Amino acid sequence: PEGVTSIGNYAFYGCSSLTSITIPESVTSIGMGTFNNCSSLTTITISESVTSIGDYAFRGCSSLTSITLPEGITSIGMCAFDNCSSLTSITLPEGVTSIEMGAFHGCSSLTSITLPEGVTSIGMSAFDSCSSLTSITLPEGVTSIGNYAFYGCSSLKSVYCKPTTPPVNGTDGFDNNASGRKIYVPASD
């Protein structure tokens, strides 16, 4: 109901028959693992007042196909959408600066994601096993890409790198990508 200001850690953990939820304007944070393994959750409406999403918040929400994150979010927590295998697309708000470890690991239906210009780091295994992802654009501010960040992205054919100094790439960052994958970098002056 209206008036609730936060949803605690693991509040709806394993509620496998929960199909939809609307988070009211009064809520400012979604705790760790709040909707972890809510495998029937298909629709979630997150109010604009939410500024933080905890680690593992939507892990294993295998029926979730899309989600709109509010503008106040600044980071995507560790394993926040891990194994959301039906998630096809997501647009991250402009305020996001970091994508934590395993944030979208195993999102095997994810075909597109828009990374905002403010992103500076992509965590370890952030997009590991996103086997439907075909292209990614790395924003200007990205300085580091964690180990295995895009490992197993077997459909990834194009990487567009906006920074003039390529980001530091972790171990096996782009291993097991599509055959003939191309990385596009800015032309020199």
Side-chain angles (χ1 to χ4, degrees):
E2 287 294 334
V4 171
T5 57
S6 67
I7 301 174
N9 296 346
Y10 300 100
F12 297 97
Y13 177 86
C15 291
S16 57
S17 297
L18 182 66
T19 58
S20 69
I21 193 162
T22 299
I23 297 174
E25 287 294 325
S26 53
V27 172
T28 57
S29 67
I30 297 172
M32 178 188 295
T34 300
F35 299 100
N36 193 338
N37 285 330
C38 291
S39 55
S40 297
L41 188 64
T42 57
T43 306
I44 186 161
T45 304
I46 302 175
S47 69
E48 288 296 317
S49 58
V50 172
T51 57
S52 69
I53 295 176
D55 297 344
Y56 311 104
F58 298 98
R59 183 183 202 181
C61 290
S62 55
S63 297
L64 191 64
T65 56
S66 68
I67 191 166
T68 301
L69 299 177
E71 287 299 317
I73 301 290
T74 57
S75 75
I76 306 300
M78 182 170 68
C79 298
F81 295 95
D82 182 22
N83 284 317
C84 288
S85 55
S86 296
L87 190 65
T88 57
S89 69
I90 190 166
T91 300
L92 303 181
E94 286 301 315
V96 170
T97 57
S98 69
I99 299 169
E100 301 298 328
M101 180 177 83
F104 296 97
H105 172 267
C107 291
S108 56
S109 297
L110 189 65
T111 58
S112 70
I113 187 163
T114 303
L115 300 181
E117 281 302 317
V119 170
T120 58
S121 67
I122 298 172
M124 182 172 85
S125 297
F127 296 96
D128 185 346
S129 301
C130 289
S131 55
S132 297
L133 191 64
T134 57
S135 71
I136 190 90
T137 300
L138 302 176
E140 188 77 41
V142 172
T143 56
S144 68
I145 298 172
N147 296 346
Y148 311 106
F150 295 96
Y151 182 90
C153 293
S154 55
S155 299
L156 188 60
K157 295 180 179 176
S158 305
V159 178
Y160 298 92
C161 182
K162 286 187 175 180
T164 52
T165 302
V168 174
N169 184 21
T171 304
D172 296 328
F174 289 93
D175 273 21
N176 282 341
N177 283 187
S179 176
R181 178 196 17 87
K182 292 180 172 45
I183 297 178
Y184 298 90
V185 296
S188 61
D189 292 335

